[in-house]
Amino acid sequence: MSRIETIGDATLYHGDCREIMPTLGKVDAVVTDPPYGIGITKSNRLSVSRGFEKLSWDDEAANLDWLLPMAISAIIWGGNYFDLPAHRAPLVWDKNNAGRDFADFELAWTNLDMVARRFVMRPMNMDGGKEHPTQKPIQLMQWCLGFLPKAETILDPFMGSGTTGVACVNLNRKFIGIELEQSYFDIACRRIEQAYKQPRLFDEPKPEQPKQEAMI
């Protein structure tokens, strides 16, 4: 049996998403950042400094064949690592590297009917620092949710440290998260609980409006 935690409108499962997903039924949208299969836990400095290099979740790319039928809309970061259908609206995270020795951008596959869009933000500007080797900025995930205005319930079957869940809390969306690794699951629970404790100035908070450009 998987462990289940309910925090506000967030339902979090500790377990294997392949076993849990069939019990959930179809959701409004999937927003996720699955393992790419590039072994980042073995090479990332954050992983090594915190002992996460012993984990093997990124040794193989996730199999996503079962994922797309589970949602009406989908945003999948690292989509270029997977065999996904052709699409017209990728999302781009431009890291504004300014010559640093890291990837200049990351891509998300979507099935959305719109033009491609770009979000510009340096990783070092992330709120609260990183607690997961591939953690995305909260602002980035809120930006993603802005393209899903009708999606009331968001699923992240590869929850990691819970950034998608925090973004959902901030934007008053319902969230379902699944995470296999105990250490990351505990981090996600803590971060989402902390997000609910933050004061809300408006009934329906709006995401930040970062620089975005249409890409031809």
Side-chain angles (χ1 to χ4, degrees):
M1 288 292 293
S2 61
R3 172 183 161 196
I4 303 175
E5 295 285 345
T6 301
I7 306 172
D9 285 330
T11 304
L12 313 180
Y13 295 84
H14 174 227
D16 191 323
C17 60
R18 294 167 296 184
E19 299 174 0
I20 297 169
M21 289 274 289
T23 70
L24 300 179
K26 199 161 189 173
V27 297
D28 297 325
V30 166
V31 180
T32 192
D33 185 23
Y36 306 158
I38 57 177
I40 196 167
T41 55
K42 304 298 188 295
S43 59
N44 184 277
R45 286 177 300 204
L46 177 68
S47 296
V48 174
S49 66
R50 298 191 177 182
F52 291 158
E53 80 280 4
K54 298 175 183 178
L55 304 178
S56 58
W57 56 266
D58 195 44
D59 287 354
E60 296 182 4
N63 185 333
L64 304 183
D65 292 344
W66 48 270
L67 182 58
L68 296 184
M70 299 293 297
I72 298 170
S73 302
I75 297 175
I76 301 175
W77 283 97
N80 47 303
Y81 290 96
F82 304 98
D83 184 16
L84 294 166
H87 63 110
R88 66 181 295 261
L91 300 181
V92 178
W93 174 22
D94 182 341
K95 298 182 177 181
N96 193 23
N97 269 332
R100 295 186 306 149
D101 189 22
F102 296 97
D104 289 334
F105 61 88
E106 292 188 31
L107 291 172
W109 178 95
T110 82
N111 63 354
L112 306 179
D113 184 16
M114 64 181 201
V115 296
R117 293 293 182 185
R118 180 175 67 147
F119 176 95
V120 181
M121 180 180 180
R122 298 191 75 173
M124 64 178 59
N125 294 333
M126 291 173 58
D127 292 336
K130 292 180 68 172
E131 297 190 74
H132 186 287
T134 62
Q135 183 173 320
K136 298 294 186 287
I138 296 171
Q139 298 94 322
L140 174 65
M141 304 315 287
Q142 291 183 176
W143 178 72
C144 290
L145 295 179
F147 298 113
L148 304 166
K150 296 181 180 180
E152 296 181 2
T153 301
I154 308 297
L155 168 67
D156 186 349
F158 304 96
M159 179 171 60
S161 58
T163 301
T164 305
V166 173
C168 286
V169 173
N170 291 345
L171 300 182
N172 291 336
R173 308 288 185 97
K174 296 178 181 178
F175 176 68
I176 301 172
I178 308 172
E179 175 54 40
L180 182 61
E181 296 290 349
Q182 179 71 60
S183 56
Y184 297 141
F185 180 82
D186 291 340
I187 292 171
C189 290
R190 172 175 53 79
R191 294 182 70 212
I192 290 171
E193 185 173 15
Q194 289 175 345
Y196 270 111
K197 292 179 180 178
Q198 297 301 312
R200 297 285 177 264
L201 298 180
F202 305 99
D203 290 338
E204 295 185 3
K206 302 298 183 182
E208 294 183 15
Q209 297 297 318
K211 177 182 177 182
Q212 54 175 294
E213 302 174 3
M215 300 180 66
I216 301 175

